[in-house]
Each structure stands twice: as structure tokens, then as C-alpha cells.
Amino acid sequence: MIELLTLGLFAIACLMAVRDTAWALALVVSMYAVEQALQAGSGIFMRITPLANVCVALTAGLSVVLHLSNQDRPFRGYLTPVFSAAIGFYIWAMISLLWTPAFGSAWEMTRWGLPYAVLFLLAAPLLVDDSMSVERFFRAYLVMGVVTTILILINPAFTVKSGRLALDLDSSIRTNPLVIGELGGLLILISVLAPIERVSLRGLLWRAAAFGLGGVISLQSGSRGQLVFSAFIAVVFFPIGRKIRNVVGFFGTAFVVLLTIPLVVFMAQFVLGASDLRRWELDTIAGGASTRMLNMVDLFAAFASRPSAWVMGLGFNAFSWVSGANREPYSHALIVDMLTELGIPMFVLFCWWCLRVLRDGLWLLSRFADDPMRRGTAAMLLALYAYETLLINKQGYLWAAMLYFLVGVIITRVRVREEALDAEYAESTESAEEFETEFAEDDHHPPNGRLAT
């Protein structure tokens, strides 16, 4: 029964994605969680582990091809400096394989990540046209995320071990619980921040389901960062996405949003067992933070001792060689990797990239300050960017940061395309006004200088 339900819903999602680019982008963004749901629900996806991602990539590719044939100027806003810099980071990381001291692990990460870079960075941006298409994406993701979460929660193949909800692929390999936690965090964010065009009971029920299920699955996956970051960002960005009309309304709204934090804590008492709650105790969290700090100290020490690395970097994934086999395969902090593994020039470019994306996001907020729907969409985009920024500096590395770079590329693409649409509208309006003026003059001053009779 679960297999038929899972495969049927996935087939529907793929058909929707081919028909609508918003659904295609939602399928790409939720791909890793969808993959786990398919592997748990169908034997063929368990036996052929890349099959789910191949299906998603083919579906998104077909959606892009169909969309390009129907869209006017699809590559406007595509080859931006932000896009080029993002591609440049990955190209330099591959070049650095020539001198990295950890070639074996670095090559495996590169080989694994390269197809995803093609999907997320080359194809997925073409699924976005403007701010309205982004707003449709948020609605599609809300539905797809809720359905995927339900499939995960009702499938007995997912089990909780050491406070982490995941799927056993075999006796020694479990799927990544952080993927499930990221899905939960995104559902919390979108349920709270995504703009509402008109209030309806069905829409409110979808949002309530997304918030509740997002909280449950984040807690069960043991993804502390995802849950804390999403709740914090929801509180910070809610007033940004709404026009404040009076002080009373602002504080009333802020109070409602702040309720997300105690609501999540309340849910934890029913969702988690006593042993699972151990992951959320302060000493356990402090232990994880200290490990991250030791990772950074190791990398900085190696970087400082090699002046040549200041320019060229230590090489991608040099951390696994620096730290040895005692801790983890990567530092979990992308900003540190950019400096130490890729060098100061790439780090400076990365800082510029972050500021440029932030500037473009603020431009969108300013442009749509008086448009509630589009302002909410711009705020949601910035919130998503903030969420992914925190995640990649808590658990990420370059080849696992595709969604982070995709969000940045989309923000800039939307800014460029909206700016071009404004210019075209202004030009057409000016032409219309000139025509009306000339027509009026012709009425009062006929040809050959003769008066009208």
C-alpha cells in the first residue's frame, strides 16, 4: 500500500513539474528528502540508489526545455556576475585537486557533487522568471513538503536511532537525517513567512499542517540547527515581509510569531522520548559546538603555516588530511573552507558574492515595498538565503551547498528580470504618452497649417 501511494504521488509530482516550472523547482529543492521517501517506499529505488535523483533531474530538464520554447528572453538574468562567480568557486575547487593533500576524499566529493551542480546551478535557475514565479514555487513547495513529510512519518522503514530519524539502506549505512531536518525547517519558514494573497480555510489548514509536520520531523531527525534557525528566522523576517501600519498591530503580530518557539518546545515533549531529548540538552549542544571550533582551529593552523596557501589555498577538502581520522570528513563551515582551502582571492570573491546577493535582495524589498504579495515574496527569498547561510556554516561543504548558491543566483536573476520589466513598462508608457500628445496636437493643428472648419 505504501509503495503504491509513494510511487503514485511521485508520478503526479513529476507530471505537475513538467507542466509547471514552479513545481519543477519545488521538486529539485526537495529532491534529497523525496529520494529518501522513495527509497523507503519502493524496492527499486532502494536497489538503484541514484534512480530517484535521475528521475528528478530528467523531469526538471524536460520542464526547462518546454519552458524555454514558450518564454520570451529566457536567458535574461542568467549569465550574471553572481552566477559566474558561483560557477567559478566550483571550477577553482576542481583545479585545487592538483595540490590538495587529501586527493582521494576530495575527488570522491567532487565526483559525487558534479551532476548536482549541473542540475542546481545550470538548469534550476531557468525555472524562475520573476517574483510571481517565486511566489508560486513557495506554494508548490508547501504542498510537496507536506506530502513528503507524511510519507516519511507513516513509513515504518524510517526509524529513530540515537535521536535521529533516518532510513537504513543496509546494515551499515543510514540516510542523512539532516536532509529531513532541512525539509522540516523549510516547511516552518514557508508556513509562517510565505505571502498570502487571500485568506481561506484551505490555505490556513495547509500552513498549519506544514508548521506542525515541519516541527515534528525536525525534532525527530535531531536536527537542532535546522529547527532553531528556522524558528529564529521566522521571527526576524515576519515584520520585514509585512507592511507595518501601526504599533499595536506590529507588536500583536510579533507576539503571534514568537509563539512558534514555545509551540515547538511543547511539541518536543510528545514527539521525543527521554533518550532522544538528550541531543537537545545544553552540554550535548556545547560538545557539538566545541568540535566545530576545533575543526576551524586545525584548518587555520595549517593555513597559517603555509604562505603559498594564502593565495592558492590548501586545496579542496584539505581538512580531512589536516584533522586526520580522529574527527570528521570536513569542517562543516563553508566560510572557513573558502578561506583556508581555496585561498584569500576566492574568499574575497565569496564575500563580494554574499554582499551582492544581499544587495539584490534588498533591492527587491525596496522595489515592492507597497505591494504586499511581492514584498512578502522578496522577504521569503531573503529568509531562505539567511537560512541556507546558517546551515552551510553549521554542517556544509562546497559540493553540498548547491541550494545555498541556487538561492543566491535566483535572487539576482529575479532582480535583473524585474528591473528589465520595469524599464520596458516605462518605455511603453512613455511611447503611449508621446503618441497621445502627437494625436492631440494633430487634432488642433491640421496638416498644411490650415485651420479646421
Side-chain angles (χ1 to χ4, degrees):
M1 179 62 184
I2 290 180
E3 181 172 6
L4 289 176
L5 181 63
T6 303
L7 291 177
L9 290 173
F10 180 63
I12 293 172
C14 289
L15 291 174
M16 293 288 292
V18 171
R19 177 177 173 271
D20 189 338
T21 54
W23 281 83
L25 184 59
L27 190 60
V28 170
V29 172
S30 60
M31 180 175 65
Y32 299 122
V34 170
E35 175 189 23
Q36 292 193 24
L38 287 170
Q39 288 172 344
S42 175
I44 187 172
F45 288 98
M46 177 73 82
R47 292 190 298 273
I48 309 173
T49 51
L51 180 59
N53 293 340
V54 170
C55 292
V56 171
L58 291 175
T59 301
L62 181 57
S63 182
V64 167
V65 170
L66 294 175
H67 188 54
L68 291 181
S69 62
N70 298 320
Q71 186 188 17
D72 182 38
R73 299 180 183 179
F75 291 100
R76 171 189 282 169
Y78 184 67
L79 297 176
T80 62
V82 166
F83 171 85
S84 300
I87 298 298
F89 298 139
Y90 287 96
I91 292 175
W92 184 251
M94 288 188 285
I95 294 173
S96 74
L97 294 177
L98 296 173
W99 60 82
T100 181
F103 177 80
S105 60
W107 167 247
E108 283 301 313
M109 288 180 176
T110 303
R111 187 177 62 84
W112 172 87
L114 194 56
Y116 297 100
V118 173
L119 173 61
F120 276 82
L121 296 181
L122 297 184
L126 293 170
L127 298 169
V128 173
D129 294 334
D130 51 23
S131 58
M132 287 189 289
S133 66
V134 175
E135 189 264 329
R136 289 190 296 108
F137 153 69
F138 289 137
R139 291 204 306 266
Y141 188 89
L142 191 74
V143 175
M144 192 170 297
V146 166
V147 172
T148 303
T149 302
I150 292 173
L151 289 176
I152 290 173
L153 292 176
I154 66 173
N155 196 317
F158 284 93
T159 56
V160 178
K161 295 181 180 179
S162 302
R164 313 300 296 265
L165 177 70
L167 170 68
D168 289 315
L169 294 177
D170 58 36
S171 58
S172 59
I173 301 177
R174 277 174 69 80
T175 57
N176 188 354
L178 297 177
V179 168
I180 298 176
E182 187 171 4
L183 168 66
L186 283 173
L187 284 177
I188 291 174
L189 275 180
I190 294 177
S191 66
V192 174
L193 296 179
I196 303 175
E197 185 173 10
R198 56 182 181 274
V199 178
S200 66
L201 179 59
R202 184 177 65 177
L204 291 175
L205 288 176
W206 272 108
R207 287 172 183 265
F211 181 86
L213 291 171
V216 167
I217 207 165
S218 295
L219 288 166
Q220 288 197 339
S221 68
S223 303
R224 299 169 299 208
Q226 282 83 336
L227 185 57
V228 173
F229 294 158
S230 61
F232 172 75
I233 292 172
V235 171
V236 170
F237 276 86
F238 192 89
I240 295 175
R242 269 71 175 173
K243 190 172 182 178
I244 306 303
R245 291 182 170 82
N246 56 71
V247 176
V248 175
F250 169 75
F251 283 106
T253 302
F255 174 74
V256 172
V257 177
L258 283 171
L259 287 177
T260 59
I261 297 175
L263 277 175
V264 170
V265 175
F266 178 75
M267 283 192 295
Q269 303 175 32
F270 299 94
V271 172
L272 302 178
S275 60
D276 299 333
L277 284 169
R278 172 66 181 160
R279 276 189 57 79
W280 298 85
E281 295 179 0
L282 289 179
D283 58 338
T284 306
I285 295 173
S290 64
T291 300
R292 302 290 195 274
M293 291 301 299
L294 289 173
N295 292 346
M296 297 178 193
V297 169
D298 284 346
L299 263 177
F300 279 125
F303 178 72
S305 65
R306 293 170 176 80
S308 62
W310 300 353
V311 177
M312 301 176 63
L314 294 168
F316 175 65
N317 197 229
F319 170 79
S320 62
W321 175 81
V322 169
S323 66
N326 296 326
R327 285 201 293 276
E328 296 167 324
Y330 49 90
S331 72
H332 290 72
L334 181 65
I335 192 170
V336 175
D337 295 344
M338 282 290 184
L339 174 62
T340 58
E341 295 184 350
L342 301 187
I344 293 176
M346 282 294 110
F347 177 73
V348 172
L349 181 61
F350 179 68
C351 291
W352 170 86
W353 190 92
C354 296
L355 292 174
R356 178 60 184 268
V357 170
L358 180 60
R359 189 197 73 174
D360 290 342
L362 293 175
W363 184 93
L364 290 172
L365 270 180
S366 175
R367 167 64 182 82
F368 300 120
D370 297 321
D371 185 329
M373 284 297 296
R374 294 192 177 184
R375 174 178 173 154
T377 299
M380 182 66 238
L381 262 180
L382 277 173
L384 182 55
Y385 177 67
Y387 178 67
E388 291 299 325
T389 299
L390 292 173
L391 286 187
I392 62 165
N393 290 295
K394 170 257 181 188
Q395 67 187 39
Y397 64 94
L398 185 64
W399 289 101
M402 307 295 182
L403 183 54
Y404 167 73
F405 287 111
L406 172 61
V407 174
V409 168
I410 286 176
I411 288 174
T412 296
R413 176 173 167 82
V414 172
R415 184 257 164 91
V416 170
R417 294 181 68 85
E418 290 289 354
E419 199 168 26
L421 289 173
D422 286 347
E424 289 177 357
Y425 177 77
E427 183 179 349
S428 64
T429 303
E430 183 180 350
S431 299
E433 290 176 349
E434 290 177 355
F435 176 79
E436 290 176 0
T437 301
E438 292 175 1
F439 184 76
E441 290 176 351
D442 289 343
D443 279 349
H444 292 88
H445 303 285
N448 304 321
R450 291 178 296 184
L451 295 175
T453 59

